[in-house]
Amino acid sequence: MKTIKASEAMINVLLDWGVKRVYGLPGDSIDTTIDALHHYSEEIEFIQVRHEEVASLAATSEAKLTGHIGVCLSIGGPGAIHLLNGLYDAKMDHVPLLALVGQVNSTLINSDFFQEVNTASLLEDVAVYNKEIQSAESLPKIVDEAIRTAMRQKGVAVLTIPDDFPDQKIPDIYKTLAGEANLFSPPALIPEKMEEAARLIKDSKHPVVLSGVGSKHASRALTTFIEKNHIPIIQTVPSKGIVADDHPNSLGNVGKLGTKPAYEAMKEADLLIMLGTNYPYVNYLPDQQSCKAIQVDLVPERFGKRFPLELAVESTVEDFLTSLNELGELRSSTEFLSACQEAMKHWNKWMEEQRQNTEDQFVHPAYLFNAIESLATPDTIYSIDVGTSTAWAAKFLRVQPQQDFLISSWLGTMGCALPGALAAKLNYPNRQVLSVAGDGGFAMVMQDFVTAVKYNLPFVQFIVNNQKLSFIEVEQQSSGQRNYGIDLADIDFAKAAEAFGGNGYTVKSASELDAILPRLMGVTKPTIVNVYVEDDAPLPGKIVKDEAEGFAKFTVQSVLKDHKFPELPPLKEIIRQLF
């Protein structure tokens, strides 16, 4: 009987599942797996990063962009611990990820050997599939099973692999059960439920669609549905662009990163249509006593978790909307939509005023994001970090259906933008990638800018530089706390870019930003643009009661303890967002 190394059998499973690259760092307890990747380097690309956190965040970003399994690896012990942040991002944003984690040789397990960590216990909470390999013969089967589970449950599969097993010879007999066709079939729509959904929509006077990432493959059907039935749409931030942000029915996002018209529409709604979303901020949803709700999702456990339901439909969003669209126009009234559109006109006028703000000494963030949008091509991939970068991007980037918008949504981990840009450019080398991070978030992972240089990944990395953790600044203020621990020492990121082998620019005014924009079209090297921005607070679209009380408490605390009035956003902007 023909035999092969267990590591080769494992690589064959990865190939059957369409894996094109693995992100990670080599090391002693994963070296036999690395050796197998070396032998298969023409089929699977190994992307060497400088920190395992970047490996797991990049693999997670790849899964978010492609829908396919992302793969990362590390040694056991410290390497596995470094992977955790990206693994939790995959868990909480529900994307399939496989982590191959090394372990000491099987004969040394439980001997308190160098770098020996109980990896299975360490990673138990993050994983939907978590096993330690017990024999060389089981390796290909368990890798296949792990990927299938991660794909089916949209989560993290972790395999801990003692380093002696992959090098052992096993019979070459394992056949994979690869492919999405073997994972699941979407449930069939129940005619009675579709009739009830149609009735609820027909009877509604103030319907609102709240759409999430579950609508990703339903852009056309969703656009048709809201247009045909004259319904305003609110999209969660990670789903920006599934319906064009500047579509006439769009009210933007809702919540702390949302718009005032979206907040107001929610409070007026008598029917909430939740499509592929588990939106957690229930205070921004409609009044439960006066609003009915339809929820469409493939995960029944999410039904009614955030809002009491009139109707739950287990289905893909695309199937549900396609079926409804076949019924024709369900409601003809445009009164509510027109009122929402009028509110959006005022909002957009205000946003446009901020987009053209050139009065300050530094670049206003709104002006920066307007410039970033002006660079974008029809299929740009935006990779956005956590903090004020997310807040400004949510307000000022008008994302389109052919573009992608990458963020760390539920975990909200700083440092996600650069790994996302790496994954975006590796998977889509012909698409433009524009990455944005604050000086705090970028500094957490900046060593891996050299990874972009090493693999010749030309993209633009903007740094929103205000020498502070400004999102935390606003959080402290809105909670009534004085600011503490938020100031950052300045870094010359442009010089750092050049030291890494890329291009670097420093920008301190709107005119300087305008002058370099032509050079940022079609860059041929990884490029950092270090933009010193005005320290302007990214206020929520609607300041709710608790936040208003917090800002007032912060002001009083500052006067009593610091003997001065604090710097706050202009009063006219606060008033606009209060009333």
Side-chain angles (χ1 to χ4, degrees):
M1 182 182 296
K2 180 184 176 183
T3 61
I4 60 172
K5 286 185 177 182
S7 59
E8 294 180 64
M10 174 180 66
I11 297 296
N12 286 332
V13 172
L14 297 180
L15 290 171
D16 285 347
W17 278 99
V19 173
K20 293 182 172 62
R21 64 190 55 80
V22 175
Y23 302 85
L25 270 173
D28 54 358
S29 61
I30 198 72
D31 275 345
T32 53
T33 299
I34 291 289
D35 185 59
L37 287 169
H38 184 196
H39 286 292
Y40 284 82
S41 59
E42 292 187 6
E43 289 86 4
I44 295 181
E45 187 177 16
F46 176 64
I47 304 299
Q48 176 217 63
V49 297
R50 296 300 182 95
H51 194 291
E52 292 91 348
E53 178 184 16
V54 172
S56 56
L57 285 170
T60 296
S61 294
E62 181 167 313
K64 290 177 183 179
L65 284 168
T66 67
H68 302 308
I69 189 82
V71 184
C72 59
L73 63 74
S74 76
I75 64 168
I81 293 166
H82 284 164
L83 285 179
L84 267 171
N85 200 38
L87 302 189
Y88 268 99
D89 190 44
K91 172 188 175 175
M92 297 180 73
D93 279 359
H94 306 292
V95 294
L97 188 72
L98 173 66
L100 304 174
V101 179
Q103 182 58 288
V104 300
N105 285 354
S106 58
T107 56
L108 297 172
I109 291 176
N110 296 326
S111 70
D112 296 328
F113 198 71
F114 175 67
Q115 291 189 332
E116 183 188 359
V117 168
N118 186 343
T119 308
S121 176
L122 172 73
L123 301 175
E124 179 64 29
D125 179 64
V126 80
V128 297
Y129 188 97
N130 181 20
K131 292 192 177 180
E132 184 175 284
I133 301 300
Q134 301 295 318
S135 68
E137 289 79 6
S138 67
L139 183 57
K141 173 183 179 296
I142 291 179
V143 171
D144 189 21
E145 192 176 272
I147 295 175
R148 196 179 316 119
T149 304
M151 290 289 292
R152 176 69 180 89
Q153 297 188 32
K154 304 299 183 193
V156 177
V158 177
L159 296 183
T160 303
I161 308 173
D163 199 42
D164 53 325
F165 288 148
D167 230 19
Q168 296 176 15
K169 290 291 187 76
I170 64 172
D172 186 17
I173 58 174
Y174 187 73
K175 303 296 182 185
T176 59
L177 193 63
E180 293 198 27
N182 294 319
L183 294 173
F184 64 91
S185 298
L189 289 167
I190 299 172
E192 291 79 10
K193 287 199 171 187
M194 295 309 299
E195 291 172 6
E196 176 66 3
R199 184 191 66 76
L200 287 168
I201 294 167
K202 285 179 181 177
D203 292 347
S204 65
K205 294 182 178 180
H206 300 161
V208 172
V209 165
L210 177 61
S211 176
V213 292
S215 299
K216 186 171 184 178
H217 301 293
S219 175
R220 185 172 298 179
L222 179 52
T223 304
T224 299
F225 173 71
I226 61 173
E227 289 176 349
K228 185 176 291 188
N229 295 293
H230 318 291
I231 300 175
I233 182 171
I234 298 167
Q235 298 182 92
T236 62
V237 174
S239 68
K240 270 175 69 71
I242 292 176
V243 170
D245 276 340
D246 55 2
H247 187 281
N249 293 38
S250 175
L251 303 183
N253 315 120
V254 73
K256 291 183 181 295
L257 305 183
T259 72
K260 188 177 177 184
Y263 177 88
E264 293 169 342
M266 278 291 193
K267 296 307 177 182
E268 292 293 325
D270 63 359
L271 178 65
L272 178 63
I273 306 169
M274 294 185 288
L275 302 176
T277 180
N278 190 26
Y279 182 79
Y281 298 105
V282 295
N283 290 339
Y284 289 92
L285 295 179
D287 181 352
Q288 296 183 6
Q289 302 299 317
S290 58
C291 182
K292 298 177 180 178
I294 301 170
Q295 186 172 1
V296 180
D297 209 297
L298 279 172
V299 183
E301 291 80 6
R302 295 178 189 150
F303 288 143
K305 192 170 187 177
R306 310 299 182 187
F307 200 87
L309 301 180
E310 194 78 11
L311 180 65
V313 182
E314 186 181 359
S315 170
T316 68
V317 173
E318 184 175 28
D319 287 349
F320 174 76
L321 292 178
T322 299
S323 178
L324 282 182
N325 289 340
E326 290 172 354
L327 301 176
E329 184 183 66
L330 297 175
R331 60 184 307 277
S332 58
S333 173
T334 62
E335 183 178 344
F336 182 58
L337 175 62
S338 296
C340 292
Q341 289 172 331
E342 188 63 29
M344 277 302 287
K345 284 182 183 178
H346 294 289
W347 175 267
N348 289 332
K349 182 181 178 182
W350 180 27
M351 292 298 101
E352 193 59 33
E353 290 175 13
Q354 295 190 57
R355 287 173 184 275
Q356 304 308 320
N357 187 343
T358 60
E359 297 176 3
D360 298 313
Q361 180 181 355
F362 301 116
V363 179
H364 192 277
Y367 192 87
L368 169 61
F369 278 84
N370 191 57
I372 292 170
E373 185 185 274
S374 74
L375 286 174
T377 60
D379 64 351
T380 288
I381 301 172
Y382 294 108
S383 186
I384 309 296
D385 219 295
V386 166
T388 54
S389 298
T390 314
W392 294 115
K395 281 188 177 182
F396 291 104
L397 288 182
R398 292 167 290 203
V399 184
Q400 303 299 310
Q402 298 307 312
Q403 297 174 332
D404 282 287
F405 186 78
L406 271 176
I407 63 169
S408 173
S409 177
W410 281 74
L411 182 61
T413 179
M414 294 170 67
C416 65
L418 177 61
L422 296 174
K425 203 63 184 176
L426 284 163
N427 281 274
Y428 301 103
N430 296 322
R431 291 176 65 179
Q432 181 194 54
V433 176
L434 300 177
S435 182
V436 189
D439 48 341
F442 185 72
M444 291 181 173
V445 294
M446 64 183 290
Q447 77 285 331
D448 268 283
F449 187 74
V450 77
T451 303
V453 175
K454 176 177 180 175
Y455 292 100
N456 190 27
L457 305 175
F459 60 83
V460 183
Q461 175 68 62
F462 291 92
I463 311 294
V464 183
N465 191 338
N466 50 20
Q467 296 103 65
K468 66 172 57 176
L469 300 169
S470 55
F471 201 85
I472 309 303
E473 176 183 39
V474 177
E475 285 183 340
Q476 290 176 346
Q477 293 174 3
S478 64
S479 298
Q481 303 161 357
R482 291 187 301 158
N483 291 133
Y484 183 71
I486 60 170
D487 295 325
L488 300 174
D490 192 18
I491 297 174
D492 192 332
F493 292 106
K495 282 186 179 178
E498 293 172 359
F500 286 136
N503 289 332
Y505 300 95
T506 296
V507 170
K508 293 187 176 181
S509 68
S511 59
E512 289 179 357
L513 179 60
D514 292 341
I516 71 160
L517 287 179
R519 298 183 226 173
L520 303 179
M521 293 295 296
V523 294
T524 57
K525 294 173 72 173
T527 300
I528 285 177
V529 184
N530 183 25
V531 185
Y532 287 87
V533 298
E534 181 68 20
D535 184 25
D536 193 6
L539 292 175
K542 172 71 175 180
I543 297 176
V544 296
K545 180 175 178 288
D546 289 347
E547 291 168 333
E549 291 174 350
F551 279 121
K553 181 180 177 183
F554 162 72
T555 302
V556 172
Q557 293 269 15
S558 297
V559 171
L560 292 177
K561 296 185 179 181
D562 298 334
H563 307 294
K564 64 177 182 179
F565 279 95
E567 291 186 12
L568 285 171
L571 180 61
K572 68 176 183 179
E573 294 187 13
I574 294 178
I575 291 173
R576 278 170 158 170
Q577 287 162 298
L578 272 170
F579 304 105

